[in-house]
Amino acid sequence: MQASQRPQMSGGVHGLYNQPMQQVEQYYAPYHVFKNNNCNNTSSVTQFAFQTQNEHFFTLDSLPATDYVVYDSPPALSVSSNRSPFSPQCSQSYMSDLHHSSDNNPCGSPFSGCSGVDDGDLKHVLRELENKLLGPESDTDDSCSCSFNDVVSKPSSLTRWNRVLDIAPSLNLKELLDACAEAVSDADISTAEILMNILEQRVSVSGEPMERLSAYVLEGLRARLLSSGSIIYKKLKCKEPTSSELLSYMQVIYNMCPYYKFAYMSANVVIREAMTNENRIHIIDFQIAQGSQWMFLLHDLARRPGGPPFVRITGVDDSQSAHARGGGLQLVGERLAEVAKSCGVPFEFHGAALSGCEVQLENLRVRHGEALAVNFPYMLHHMPDESVSTINHRDRLLRLVKSLSPKIVTLVEQESNTNTAPFLPRFRETLDYYTAMFESIDAARPRDDKQRISAEEHCVARDIVNIIACEGADRVERHELFGKWRLRLMMAGFTPCPLSPSVGETINDILKEYSPNYRFAESEGALYLGWKNRALATSSAWR
């Protein structure tokens, strides 16, 4: 497929609720989730030997035009932004112990080996590559830094890469991608191009999870090699899908995976409990999307003993969401107002059509006498920090919110480490994280399911390209591990708020609808959602 024919890779994924209330179902709409930031952790390169299929293999370039079936959805369903969801990534192989960088030691994940690098596994994989390249008698020191280049550093550069190319056909996809990333990092264009050509024959958007992921990782490596990651990142959405198509992509992801329900429901339970005795409530949502999350909360508040409180919602959202939503924030306000009226909740809505970087105190319209709740749903990782801008909008926004004296703040973020990590560790972390995500998706839909293919292309691929190919301000997907978020919040003056047992009970009920490989646990005051032994996302509360 020519570049002009490529389907759009939209980044933002939105979650939807399975709603028992008929009134809410008519507004059933997906939610938006995004960026990730990471501290300087190295990521594990776990070996997988997937069988390749001798069928048709396609990358974004070669994918044939297909008439994707639009997923059935209620009329009001829409998506808030074209960024990708909190990339649900996590199916790693089981690892024996946790490994976090010094920046993240305070917040070890309860999942063994999640969001970190297992040096033993990495060295094992690299030792195997070394043996393939240099033979089993190689005297390469195990203490060397864990990179493909270091393992084969004794021969000349030319000899090293010649040997890589000699054994390339026998390498599995993860090994090939890692070798290709090393060549790209070395600016060895000829070697990288040869490895990419080999990869091209082994990837497939309808294959096994690793084959599908490799197709999109390959696009990211190509973009980086051309030093035009930002341009290619934008060109990946050459053709804007229709509103109904966007809605279907988001709803497919929502139905396949529990990531957005986890975000919605955990925050809603926390806010509802914090506001038990409040008569006037103001909620500031820094990624309002469709506002679907608050439809459920409004119904809950309507049933409160003694009558519902007055509820005011300020919805912050940037202009990218307007296309997916089919209009501006006034549509969200109108829908929420209808739901509030139907269940007898006094309600007011204020839309702030701004990015988080633009938000100032006057945009939030805080009033005296209202109990304030602030919601950060998969949003803060899109804010540039001190590694990108001297203004450090990430910490600035946290300090601004703290100055408002909120009664409760909810934070949901992806558990990944891609913010300040150098290219190769970031690449390996991305590969590890998205391997888990693609495996979790694979458990829910057949591999040739056109809706799944479309959802992965439009909701995930663009983020992968951004993380791998872009740097500086062009890289907007910057995830951090919970330990780093914890430090940021505490430095801004927040203290953690213990989660009640009802939060965990709610998430446990949600997960009953999905694969038993999904897991959740509580650690260091945060609730972790994971796939097998890999943490995917965290939810926490602050005051």
Side-chain angles (χ1 to χ4, degrees):
M1 178 180 291
Q2 299 300 317
S4 61
Q5 297 174 309
R6 291 178 184 172
Q8 173 185 1
M9 301 297 186
S10 104
V13 171
H14 307 261
L16 305 172
Y17 277 114
N18 287 325
Q19 315 174 48
M21 296 84 71
Q22 187 175 6
Q23 298 96 321
V24 178
E25 287 179 352
Q26 62 183 337
Y27 300 103
Y28 200 39
Y31 188 82
H32 187 202
V33 187
F34 316 131
K35 274 182 186 173
N36 28 330
N37 269 316
N38 295 322
C39 337
N40 284 322
N41 268 9
T42 51
S43 302
S44 64
V45 181
T46 304
Q47 180 176 5
F48 290 86
F50 289 115
Q51 294 295 322
T52 58
Q53 296 182 350
N54 295 319
E55 301 174 6
H56 300 291
F57 299 103
F58 307 110
T59 64
L60 298 180
D61 283 323
S62 59
L63 182 67
T66 305
D67 293 326
Y68 294 126
V69 178
V70 175
Y71 193 89
D72 291 336
S73 59
L77 180 62
S78 63
V79 181
S80 78
S81 163
N82 64 346
R83 294 173 183 161
S84 90
F86 116 116
S87 315
Q89 336 193 32
C90 7
S91 77
Q92 265 306 41
S93 63
Y94 289 86
M95 297 182 185
S96 59
D97 47 62
L98 297 173
H99 181 82
H100 293 283
S101 72
S102 58
D103 287 340
N104 295 291
N105 282 338
C107 65
S109 155
F111 295 97
S112 171
C114 74
S115 293
V117 174
D118 187 316
D119 287 338
D121 279 1
L122 181 58
K123 288 183 179 180
H124 172 71
V125 172
L126 295 173
R127 169 61 70 181
E128 288 198 0
L129 290 175
E130 172 197 1
N131 288 340
K132 291 176 181 178
L133 290 168
L134 305 179
E137 302 303 321
S138 169
D139 58 353
T140 304
D141 188 354
D142 277 338
S143 65
C144 68
S145 61
C146 294
S147 78
F148 193 94
N149 280 340
D150 290 334
V151 168
V152 291
S153 60
K154 295 195 173 184
S156 68
S157 176
L158 180 61
T159 302
R160 177 177 73 238
W161 287 116
N162 283 341
R163 291 179 177 176
V164 171
L165 296 176
D166 285 342
I167 67 165
S170 66
L171 300 179
N172 64 37
L173 278 171
K174 277 206 168 182
E175 292 168 338
L176 273 174
L177 289 168
D178 194 74
C180 188
E182 291 266 7
V184 171
S185 180
D186 282 356
D188 188 333
I189 297 176
S190 60
T191 299
E193 288 179 341
I194 293 172
L195 291 172
M196 288 178 184
N197 288 336
I198 296 173
L199 283 163
E200 178 78 26
Q201 305 306 312
R202 297 178 58 179
V203 302
S204 170
V205 296
S206 61
E208 295 180 354
M210 193 61 210
E211 294 169 344
R212 305 199 310 265
L213 171 59
S214 296
Y216 305 128
V217 171
L218 178 57
E219 293 299 312
L221 289 172
R222 281 176 172 154
R224 187 176 186 90
L225 187 65
L226 295 172
S227 300
S228 57
S230 178
I231 296 172
I232 294 178
Y233 169 65
K234 293 172 183 176
K235 285 187 176 180
L236 280 175
K237 60 168 203 157
C238 292
K239 182 177 179 248
E240 292 285 350
T242 66
S243 179
S244 60
E245 286 173 336
L246 273 174
L247 300 185
S248 71
Y249 305 153
M250 301 307 120
Q251 189 173 357
V252 168
I253 290 289
Y254 175 84
N255 289 336
M256 287 191 297
C257 311
Y259 308 121
Y260 305 112
K261 289 181 183 178
F262 172 76
Y264 279 170
M265 301 304 284
S266 60
N268 275 8
V269 173
V270 168
I271 293 172
R272 184 186 66 218
E273 292 181 348
M275 300 298 180
T276 298
N277 299 315
E278 300 294 342
N279 293 321
R280 297 185 67 84
I281 300 171
H282 181 195
I283 298 170
I284 299 176
D285 188 346
F286 275 94
Q287 193 64 68
I288 188 70
Q290 304 304 308
S292 304
Q293 175 174 357
W294 309 119
M295 296 175 187
F296 297 94
L297 183 62
L298 288 170
H299 278 271
D300 284 344
L301 294 175
R303 297 190 291 267
R304 198 168 77 171
F310 169 82
V311 178
R312 188 162 63 93
I313 294 179
T314 295
V316 180
D317 208 0
D318 60 39
S319 60
Q320 293 187 42
S321 299
H323 169 75
R325 197 166 33 231
L329 284 172
Q330 73 277 3
L331 294 179
V332 176
E334 291 168 2
R335 291 166 183 166
L336 288 174
E338 284 189 44
V339 173
K341 182 178 179 180
S342 70
C343 56
V345 177
F347 179 78
E348 183 180 323
F349 179 82
H350 165 59
L354 303 165
S355 72
C357 296
E358 299 172 305
V359 170
Q360 301 295 331
L361 177 61
E362 56 269 22
N363 303 125
L364 303 177
R365 300 189 184 181
V366 176
R367 298 174 186 169
H368 180 71
E370 295 179 341
L372 180 64
V374 177
N375 187 43
F376 289 115
Y378 299 122
M379 171 268 175
L380 277 178
H381 72 264
H382 280 171
M383 301 287 290
D385 69 350
E386 66 278 3
S387 68
V388 181
S389 167
T390 55
I391 300 177
N392 188 358
H393 289 287
R394 188 170 299 194
D395 290 344
R396 179 193 69 82
L397 188 59
L398 288 175
R399 291 193 298 269
L400 172 61
V401 168
K402 179 59 182 175
S403 73
L404 304 178
S405 300
K407 187 162 187 180
I408 197 71
V409 173
T410 53
L411 173 71
V412 182
E413 276 295 343
Q414 293 158 260
E415 183 69 355
S416 185
N417 181 29
T418 61
N419 182 26
T420 58
F423 169 64
L424 283 174
R426 184 171 81 240
F427 174 85
R428 289 163 181 151
E429 168 77 347
T430 301
L431 194 59
D432 174 70
Y433 186 57
Y434 279 93
T435 296
M437 182 192 72
F438 274 68
E439 287 184 6
S440 71
I441 294 174
D442 197 62
R445 286 290 182 105
R447 289 175 183 168
D448 60 351
D449 186 285
K450 294 179 180 179
Q451 293 175 353
R452 179 203 56 73
I453 294 171
S454 179
E456 286 178 347
E457 289 174 345
H458 290 268
C459 302
V460 182
R462 192 164 179 247
D463 281 357
I464 293 173
V465 171
N466 185 257
I467 295 171
I468 293 174
C470 299
E471 297 293 350
D474 289 333
R475 182 156 60 87
V476 296
E477 299 297 327
R478 292 177 167 272
H479 306 98
E480 289 183 327
L481 299 175
F482 176 71
K484 189 62 180 290
W485 289 119
R486 189 172 185 270
L487 291 174
R488 286 189 187 278
L489 283 154
M490 294 178 72
M491 288 191 334
F494 291 98
T495 56
C497 180
L499 300 173
S500 72
S502 58
V503 181
E505 292 169 3
T506 299
I507 301 305
N508 188 48
D509 287 342
I510 291 173
L511 295 184
K512 290 177 182 178
E513 306 171 14
Y514 297 90
S515 166
N517 285 323
Y518 285 107
R519 301 168 55 200
F520 80 97
E522 186 173 358
S523 178
E524 298 291 335
L527 192 64
Y528 286 73
L529 173 66
W531 171 263
K532 294 183 180 178
N533 274 17
R534 170 78 202 209
L536 314 176
T538 61
S539 178
S540 57
W542 303 82
R543 59 165 58 99

